[in-house]
Amino acid sequence: MALTRLGTNTLPTGSVLQVVQDVNTTYTEIPANDTYSTTNLSASITPSSTSNKILVLAQFAGFVRMDTTNTGEVTVGLFKDSTNIYECTNLTRTADNSSTYYAPTFFSMNFMHSPSSTSSLTYSAKAKCNSSVHSFFVNRDSTSSSLILMEIKG
């Protein structure tokens, strides 16, 4: 029996057309200054049609450095090129002791983007901390982070 190649035009809506992944183990410190900083997660994809969507899946691990009994926020932003298209806000950790400590923190983001483009698009995840957090450390203690982009037929 001969194999038949299916073109993307014959696939049903919702089919995955391409997948791009970035796995990163680079240790990065995000300072407490309410300004977005890179997490070193970035990937590019070129949609084959303006009607297709991009499903973005981001996950990263790290530690929040905190003092005493304060509450701190880490905000994670998803960017397309330089534009912030999605945020997870008020991700809070509360210190529960009287000395400096590192609280393990894990973030997951899922977002369906409709870019209406056939140009190369670069997606990245960035983070920022409020002043109650000393720092957010991405990929501390040999953890890894990932960013997966999936083109979905529209």
Side-chain angles (χ1 to χ4, degrees):
M1 172 184 260
L3 293 175
T4 303
R5 178 184 158 108
L6 295 174
T8 58
N9 291 335
T10 61
L11 295 172
T13 299
S15 296
V16 176
L17 303 178
Q18 65 173 310
V19 177
V20 177
Q21 178 182 20
D22 177 33
V23 175
N24 190 292
T25 58
T26 303
Y27 171 78
T28 305
E29 179 179 354
I30 308 294
N33 63 10
D34 285 324
T35 302
Y36 276 111
S37 297
T38 184
T39 62
N40 292 308
L41 273 180
S42 179
S44 296
I45 193 168
T46 304
S48 58
S49 169
T50 57
S51 63
N52 294 345
K53 299 179 183 336
I54 305 298
L55 177 60
V56 183
L57 310 170
Q59 170 185 308
F60 52 100
F63 289 80
V64 175
R65 179 177 172 231
M66 300 183 69
D67 288 333
T68 63
T69 57
N70 59 1
T71 299
E73 296 175 0
V74 176
T75 301
V76 178
L78 179 63
F79 288 75
K80 182 196 66 77
D81 299 320
S82 61
T83 303
N84 186 347
I85 59 172
Y86 183 72
E87 280 186 332
C88 286
T89 56
N90 298 326
L91 302 170
T92 316
R93 297 295 282 186
T94 303
D96 58 2
N97 59 26
S98 59
S99 62
T100 298
Y101 82 112
Y102 294 86
T105 306
F106 302 91
F107 297 100
S108 253
M109 297 172 67
N110 304 318
F111 182 72
M112 183 73 81
H113 187 228
S114 301
S116 299
S117 175
T118 56
S119 298
S120 178
L121 307 170
T122 300
Y123 291 86
S124 60
K126 298 180 181 182
K128 64 182 178 178
C129 308
N130 72 0
S131 60
S132 296
V133 175
H134 281 277
S135 296
F136 174 52
F137 300 94
V138 180
N139 296 333
R140 184 170 184 232
D141 293 343
S142 302
T143 59
S144 65
S145 302
S146 67
L147 181 67
I148 300 170
L149 306 176
M150 300 163 87
E151 181 183 5
I152 308 297
K153 183 173 170 112

